[in-house]
Amino acid sequence: MTIVFIHLRMDVQGYSNSKMAATGATTFSVASVSYGSQGSKSKSLNFRFNSPNYLKSFSGLKAAGSVRCESEASFFGQDSGAALRASVAVRAEKQNKEGLERCFQPQASFKVAILGAAGGIGQPLSLLIKMSPLVSALHLYDIANVKGVAADLSHCNTPSQVLDFTGQAELGNSLKGVDVVVIPAGVPRKPGMTRDDLFNINASIVKTLIEAVADNCPDAFIHIISNPVNSTVPIAAEILKQKGVYNPKKLFGVTTLDVVRANTFVAQKKNLKLIDVDVPVIGGHAGITILPLLSKTRPSVSFTDKEVEDLIVRIQNAGTEVVEAKAGAGSATLSMAYAAARFVESSLRALDGDSDVYECSYVQSELTDLPFFASRIKIGKEGVEAIISSDLQGLTEYETKALDALKPELKSSIEKGVTFAQKKETPASV
């Protein structure tokens, strides 16, 4: 049960930094949490929160600022879950009986479809989303080998029901009634390949999948992971326009991995607590179009010119770092799955009514003269509620030049995607 203990700490500490620093917070303890593979141990944890409204969902992935005990069949495990619920119930009654007890209610109510669920990203992503207490049904689609993945995941004692769908004939059914669609389908990068090398194959795959989304769940949140994201998101937008169902507020390019990497590398470089670090990343999701705004790092920290250059280059080339380290055996599948699951969980929290959900994402935007641009956004029940413009104000000279330099490449990638989507051709089967 070690994973439960670690996730709880991440959830509350991270949220404490972003939400509670400016206001007073209340503390309560959760005791007798069992964990470890060599017998049961006890640990007393202190949690901090501003109000009962912040205790809405336990993501286990990101600083959600919340904890919810779902049911006896949650991934806490039957015994430890019961102990946690019992302990929290006692503390809750002492501090805010009505508010806290109202928060600890099962609310698994959203259906998520993963298109490409049997792949290198799809399998770990499916597992992480299966752990979310907000998911009632998990639809796994792929062209082959998905039945085994679904059977494996169905044994996990978390609330969501797992269903498998194989091949083009079952694609439509995998999308019916779905609230969130996640698309990691496509070929992975190999040594020597750029994201642009993936374009011809993955563009066709995304086009076919988005056509099915438009026909079967046009109101769903759509999360695009398939590379090159700089082009595949515009492709998706064009297909949805052709189908007459395009809603720019519900189409997201998942660039969370760039933020995850930036946070990790900055924390390591400056010896900071990782959970405290937040670096906004703007632009796109490939090479120089990835622009971490180190001057906007929270907590505030100073960098030398050399540190800025080294960090930005490493963040931009982090995908290649993994591809080369795996020596032809794969790409950044695990970290991408983690980052995508974090973004999915944020979307689910927004759909569930959390009014304070922020992430960086590649979306239709008017922040620059480009039609699509990655930046921090606020996510609500209807999708993108606001695009945060303040991050682009007061940039350093280095960041301003880097922003100017990325625009031509990002513009070219967007135009390439639009041109592809507008061609009259038969898409590849997926």
Side-chain angles (χ1 to χ4, degrees):
M1 300 303 294
T2 306
I3 191 171
V4 175
F5 172 70
I6 293 172
H7 284 162
L8 281 169
R9 291 192 61 187
M10 289 176 65
D11 196 33
V12 177
Q13 287 185 11
Y15 192 79
S16 175
N17 176 68
S18 62
K19 298 287 178 84
M20 300 172 192
T23 61
T26 305
T27 301
F28 72 95
S29 298
V30 175
S32 301
V33 178
S34 298
Y35 65 100
S37 58
Q38 303 299 320
S40 178
K41 300 181 181 180
S42 294
K43 190 76 173 179
S44 180
L45 308 178
N46 289 326
F47 293 78
R48 292 172 61 80
F49 61 95
N50 272 352
S51 77
N53 289 334
Y54 291 148
L55 291 171
K56 288 185 178 177
S57 66
F58 172 46
S59 68
L61 298 166
K62 178 182 179 288
S66 48
V67 179
R68 181 198 288 115
C69 300
E70 270 302 305
S71 68
E72 292 295 332
S74 73
F75 61 87
F76 288 111
Q78 185 170 355
D79 294 335
S80 60
L84 179 57
R85 279 186 294 277
S87 176
V88 169
V90 173
R91 308 287 179 170
E93 184 174 4
K94 290 181 178 179
Q95 296 193 37
N96 194 328
K97 180 176 180 180
E98 180 180 354
L100 283 174
E101 287 181 349
R102 185 170 60 249
C103 292
F104 285 84
Q105 299 296 326
Q107 294 183 27
S109 57
F110 299 106
K111 295 182 180 180
V112 177
I114 302 177
L115 309 184
I121 295 172
Q123 290 196 43
L125 175 57
S126 298
L127 171 61
L128 291 170
I129 293 178
K130 179 73 169 74
M131 294 170 67
S132 172
L134 291 172
V135 178
S136 60
L138 184 59
H139 293 188
L140 306 184
Y141 169 83
D142 216 316
I143 57 174
N145 304 322
V146 75
K147 287 186 179 297
V149 177
D152 199 357
L153 285 180
S154 69
H155 296 174
C156 298
N157 63 324
T158 64
S160 55
Q161 179 187 18
V162 181
L163 300 174
D164 62 272
F165 303 85
T166 303
Q168 183 71 31
E170 297 186 10
L171 176 57
N173 287 336
S174 74
L175 294 166
K176 293 187 183 302
V178 164
D179 301 291
V180 177
V181 179
V182 191
I183 305 180
V187 298
R189 291 178 67 195
K190 297 179 181 179
M193 291 180 69
T194 65
R195 285 182 173 84
D196 196 56
D197 293 330
L198 306 178
F199 179 82
N200 288 330
I201 297 174
N202 288 356
S204 293
I205 292 173
V206 170
K207 182 177 181 180
T208 298
L209 295 176
I210 292 296
E211 287 173 341
V213 170
D215 292 338
N216 294 281
C217 56
D219 293 327
F221 281 20
I222 305 170
H223 296 177
I224 305 291
I225 298 173
S226 306
N227 276 317
V229 168
N230 291 354
S231 297
T232 54
V233 171
I235 288 172
E238 287 301 309
I239 299 303
L240 293 169
K241 288 176 184 177
Q242 293 170 16
K243 292 280 190 175
V245 294
Y246 178 50
N247 184 346
K249 294 183 178 181
K250 294 187 176 183
L251 177 62
F252 306 88
V254 180
T255 61
T256 317
L257 182 53
D258 299 325
V259 176
V260 167
R261 286 166 168 165
N263 292 349
T264 301
F265 300 161
V266 166
Q268 292 171 345
K269 174 69 74 173
K270 308 305 287 187
N271 196 28
L272 300 171
K273 287 184 178 180
L274 180 59
I275 201 65
D276 292 335
V277 179
D278 182 26
V279 182
V281 182
I282 65 169
H285 186 55
I288 67 166
T289 68
I290 301 169
L291 179 54
L293 298 180
L294 298 179
S295 68
K296 306 291 184 178
T297 297
R298 294 187 295 271
S300 181
V301 60
S302 60
F303 300 92
T304 66
D305 291 344
K306 181 67 162 54
E307 286 175 332
V308 169
E309 183 176 354
D310 288 348
L311 280 167
I312 289 180
V313 169
R314 188 182 179 198
I315 294 164
Q316 291 175 340
N317 295 322
T320 301
E321 181 180 314
V322 175
V323 169
E324 292 176 350
K326 290 189 175 182
S331 57
T333 54
L334 300 178
S335 54
M336 183 66 248
Y338 168 82
R342 162 179 157 166
F343 192 82
V344 170
E345 186 73 5
S346 290
S347 292
L348 293 173
R349 289 195 293 116
L351 285 168
D352 195 42
D354 191 330
S355 61
D356 207 12
V357 179
Y358 294 84
E359 289 282 358
C360 288
S361 182
Y362 182 63
V363 297
Q364 180 174 307
S365 174
E366 296 181 354
L367 275 185
T368 68
D369 55 351
L370 299 169
F372 294 91
F373 194 79
S375 66
R376 277 200 308 143
I377 61 172
K378 181 178 182 181
I379 309 174
K381 286 187 175 183
E382 299 302 319
V384 179
E385 282 192 355
I387 294 176
I388 310 305
S389 61
S390 58
D391 286 338
L392 271 67
Q393 299 171 5
L395 299 181
T396 65
E397 181 180 355
Y398 185 100
E399 290 166 344
T400 301
K401 289 181 179 179
L403 176 58
D404 291 338
L406 72 82
K407 287 181 179 179
E409 182 166 332
L410 186 52
K411 180 181 179 181
S412 176
S413 297
I414 293 170
E415 291 174 346
K416 186 174 184 177
V418 172
T419 299
F420 177 88
Q422 292 176 345
K423 287 182 179 178
K424 301 296 183 182
E425 58 182 355
T426 304
S429 63
V430 296

